[in-house]
């Protein structure tokens, strides 16, 4: 088995690599070759006995995608992207990375031909949805994004479905909800504060809350996100049919409920490190996002996430803080 991971240096890429190393392969199968690529140098995982090839490259640049698929990886996890905040502030960079890079990858696969039909797992986003929303978003809700990032994801989901329909690849579009708690430093995602108000206080730092406590979102841990990707790679075309893009499950709660969970898990001193500082730019973006999802199809296909936000916080402490935090 040869696996290619784009965006391998990103948080979800690293979590996926940790999962593959822990499992010793993918869905019970050994990995012969692992190709990792990103615009910054990705790191090979520890504990995975396989050939690892790392490259630093831009998928939107000519010839890069063709080079990555020339050895015909059988499974491709396409994670590379510029997130929501970055896509809003830099229009051209967002379209280049999120649309042009994806189109280049799909075209490189198609042009390889000669029976080459890899499994392609594409990370999409709930940003594909746009207001007005019902109380809970059903699987068949129309896609009307209100951000450039959401538009990129809708276009790429459509491309993935069409290339899948034409038989060029076997695609699965994994629409991620808010992935929380993200380890490391804050990124350009407008949703970054959801992680920041948990991650920073647990590290002994103050955190800024740019929105009101009644803002609601659906969350899943980075551990769950890696699980979504691994499970997606196990699904057959017969199981998926033509509806290959779907929203992943998670825990729906308000920001206030997030903070209450932090208080329960870590105590008052930690929770009091969160300071309110409204940010109209972030508030406007977040106001256009959906908050609750039905996710019937994903659950029926076997995708699972945490059952409470307390559990999400404990996963972060266990996976990223060595089991402890700054009290």
């Amino acid at each position: 088995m040869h696996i290619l991971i784009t965006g391998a240096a990103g948080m979800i890429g690293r979590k996926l690599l940790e999962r593959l190393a822990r499992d010793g392969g993918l869905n019970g199968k050994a990995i012969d070759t692992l190709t990792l690529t990103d615009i910054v140098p990705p790191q090979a995982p520890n504990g995975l006995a396989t050939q690892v090839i790392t490259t630093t490259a831009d998928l939107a640049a000519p010839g890069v995608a063709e080079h990555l698929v020339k050895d015909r990886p059988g499974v491709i996890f396409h994670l590379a992207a510029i997130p929501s905040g970055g896509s809003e502030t830099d229009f051209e960079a967002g379209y280049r990375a999120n649309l042009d890079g994806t189109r280049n990858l799909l075209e490189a696969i198609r042009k390889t031909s000669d029976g080459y039909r890899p499994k392609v797992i594409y990370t999409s986003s709930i940003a594909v949805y746009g207001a007005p929303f019902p109380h809970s978003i059903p699987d068949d809700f129309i896609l009307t994004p209100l951000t450039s990032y959401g538009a990129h994801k809708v276009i790429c989901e459509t491309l993935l479905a069409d290339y899948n329909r034409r038989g060029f690849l076997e695609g699965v579009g994994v629409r991620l909800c808010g992935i929380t708690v993200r380890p490391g430093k804050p990124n350009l995602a407008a949703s970054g504060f959801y992680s920041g108000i948990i991650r920073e206080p647990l590290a002994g730092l103050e955190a800024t809350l740019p929105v009101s406590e009644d803002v609601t979102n659906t969350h899943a841990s980075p551990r769950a996100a890696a699980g979504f990707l691994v499970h997606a790679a196990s699904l057959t075309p017969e199981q998926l049919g033509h509806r290959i893009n779907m929203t992943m499950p998670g825990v729906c709660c308000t920001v206030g409920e997030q903070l209450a969970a932090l208080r329960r898990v870590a105590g008052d001193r930690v929770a009091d490190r969160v300071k309110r500082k409204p940010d109209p730019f972030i508030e406007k973006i977040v106001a256009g996002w959906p908050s609750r999802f039905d996710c019937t199809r994903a659950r029926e296909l076997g995708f699972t996430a945490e059952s409470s936000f307390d559990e999400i916080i404990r996963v972060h402490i266990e996976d990223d803080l060595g089991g402890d935090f700054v009290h």
Side-chain angles (χ1 to χ4, degrees):
M1 179 186 291
H2 182 179
I3 295 176
L4 165 65
I5 303 176
T6 74
M11 185 276 294
I12 294 177
R14 296 194 303 273
K15 289 295 181 180
L16 174 59
L17 288 169
E18 290 174 7
R19 171 64 186 267
L20 295 176
R22 186 170 65 251
D23 291 352
L26 177 63
N27 294 315
K29 298 179 180 178
I31 302 169
D32 300 306
T33 305
L34 187 60
T35 300
L36 312 177
T37 186
D38 208 323
I39 58 171
V40 297
Q43 291 189 344
N46 294 322
L48 192 61
T50 187
Q51 178 186 13
V52 179
I53 301 168
T54 61
T55 65
T56 305
D58 178 2
L59 264 178
V64 169
E66 289 80 359
H67 176 73
L68 290 172
V69 303
K70 67 179 176 62
D71 292 329
R72 298 173 174 247
V75 179
I76 299 174
F77 292 98
H78 180 36
L79 316 179
I82 289 181
S84 51
S87 294
E88 284 300 295
T89 55
D90 193 331
F91 182 87
E92 292 184 359
Y95 269 90
R96 173 182 168 82
N98 298 340
L99 177 56
D100 296 346
T102 301
R103 179 75 193 283
N104 285 356
L105 178 62
L106 298 182
E107 275 293 275
I109 292 169
R110 181 181 70 85
K111 291 178 180 178
T112 301
S113 65
D114 294 333
Y116 178 53
R117 192 170 182 242
K119 172 83 75 172
V120 178
I121 315 302
Y122 174 64
T123 50
S124 188
S125 165
I126 58 172
V128 298
Y129 300 117
F133 302 119
H135 176 72
S136 181
I137 306 295
D139 286 326
D140 59 356
F141 191 73
I142 190 170
L143 307 184
T144 54
L146 298 177
T147 63
S148 292
Y149 180 70
H152 306 157
K153 294 300 184 180
V154 171
I155 295 168
C156 292
E157 281 191 13
T158 305
L159 288 172
L160 184 73
D162 196 40
Y163 280 63
N164 179 81
R165 180 184 66 84
R166 296 296 298 267
F168 303 134
L169 50 80
E170 293 182 12
V172 188
V174 173
R175 248 178 240 143
L176 298 177
C177 58
I179 301 304
T180 314
V181 177
R182 291 173 175 262
K185 297 180 180 179
N187 63 14
L188 293 176
S191 60
F193 71 89
Y194 287 118
S195 290
I197 61 175
I198 306 298
R199 180 185 58 233
E200 268 66 270
L202 289 172
L205 305 172
E206 287 192 354
T208 297
L209 176 59
V211 301
S212 69
E213 288 194 20
D214 61 358
V215 167
T216 304
N217 197 12
T218 296
H219 306 269
S221 73
R223 181 194 293 179
F228 297 155
L229 297 172
V230 167
H231 184 66
S234 75
L235 298 176
T236 66
E238 291 73 25
Q239 289 174 293
L240 289 163
H242 295 300
R243 295 169 56 199
I244 64 169
N245 297 293
M246 70 201 83
T247 303
M248 296 294 103
V251 176
C252 182
C253 62
T254 66
V255 169
E257 288 168 334
Q258 277 189 260
L259 296 177
L262 179 64
R263 198 173 296 275
R264 284 192 298 271
V265 172
D268 293 341
R269 186 174 181 180
V270 172
D272 289 343
R273 292 172 184 149
V274 179
K275 309 300 180 183
R276 279 68 176 172
K277 186 179 180 182
D279 184 328
F281 176 73
I282 299 296
E283 289 177 326
K284 182 179 179 181
I285 292 177
V286 173
W289 289 347
S291 56
R292 295 177 177 85
F293 307 91
D294 184 85
C295 301
T296 297
R297 179 162 167 74
R299 293 185 188 278
E300 288 177 346
L301 285 169
F303 291 97
T304 60
E306 290 78 17
S307 59
S308 71
F309 201 83
D310 298 55
E311 185 181 354
I312 288 175
I313 294 174
R314 292 189 179 101
V315 165
H316 174 63
I317 293 171
E318 180 179 338
D319 288 359
D320 301 302
L321 301 181
D324 201 2
F325 56 89
V326 179
H327 294 266

